[in-house]
Amino acid sequence: MNILISGGSGFLGSAFSDELIKRYRTQDKDLHITWLTRDSSQTHPDAISMMTYDELAHSDKNFDVILNLAGAGIADSRWSDARKEQLLASRIKPTESLLAFIKRTNIKPKLMISGSAIGWYGAQGDKPLTESSGFETDFAHQLCDEWEQLALKATDYGVPVAIVRTGVVIHPDGGMLGKLLTPFKMGVGGQLGDGKQIMSWISREDWVGAVIFIIEQHLTDDASSQTTHENTLRTTNDTIAVVYNLTAPNPVTNHTFTKTLGAWLHRPTFFTLPNFLLKLIFGEMSTLLIDGQKVLPQALQEAGYDFKQPTLKQALEEQK
């Protein structure tokens, strides 16, 4: 299998690449992974090839799967107007480059998986949300929706698309957990607001496993049978487009997350950051911390994916 990944060197792309290489070597299957990059001198594992976006614009290589993960971290800094533009551009420009490649190439990819986030649903408290649920309009939704709608244009060229709406990814190497480890280890970690807001999370191991599962499901001859009405998206032709929530089946409150993380680190969690202080520090971005989302992986479970770390305790204790 030949796979092209934008954002391959990131927190998720690198873990996905490592696991896929390990699996294919164990099974003695052919695999070639290419990371898209803007810097041709970027360090990378020996088993992975590099391609710049300029090279992609003229490449005649064939790829079975495209994994589109490029994008600046939505929670990395306050949402100023300039930052919002950066968040959007960092997703739109790489996706446009991939679409231009798809349009031009003679042999089309068999599948494009494009990243998104559960922010697509907007803040909806403790209401259970599946792939067929509606949304509340806010910046996170607008950002995710514009990215998704652009990626879906790959179906205009006959390329099936799977949108993966990702929750909070749990692994100490990065993401939210990576940022929280230091204050929690120092004993100053604590609850956010009243702690009742729901956090929909997924372990990095299960995120990687789920994406590999989606690829394997959709590359079978009866790929259309792997989708359900509830997770099918509307397209301009008969090309398949689906969405998957990449979240664990057991979301938790912020209070539970705080206590579970503290117990794992053997540290106290006495502190609380009140809502007004979170809003003062983070501005509009504080909605990611204050307002909960209970997003469930209905499509993944109906397709038969078996979560390796379905509980937060397992996700913390069974790190690789």
Side-chain angles (χ1 to χ4, degrees), residues 72-106:
I74 191 171
D76 287 353
S77 61
R78 287 175 66 103
W79 290 348
S80 64
D81 289 343
R83 179 60 178 172
K84 287 181 178 181
E85 291 178 4
Q86 182 185 15
L87 289 171
L88 183 59
S90 67
R91 288 159 172 77
I92 296 302
K93 290 181 179 179
T95 306
E96 288 177 336
S97 295
L98 291 171
L99 288 173
F101 168 76
I102 290 171
K103 180 180 180 180
R104 181 176 53 79
T105 188
N106 291 324

Side-chain angles (χ1 to χ4, degrees), residues 2 18 23 44 59 86 92 123-124 147 152 186 195-196 222 234 260 275:
N2 289 338
D18 290 344
R23 290 194 190 191
H44 60 281
S59 175
Q86 182 185 15
I92 296 302
Q124 300 197 50
W147 193 16
L152 287 172
M186 294 174 64
K196 295 179 181 179
D222 60 343
R234 184 176 300 175
T260 304
N275 285 349

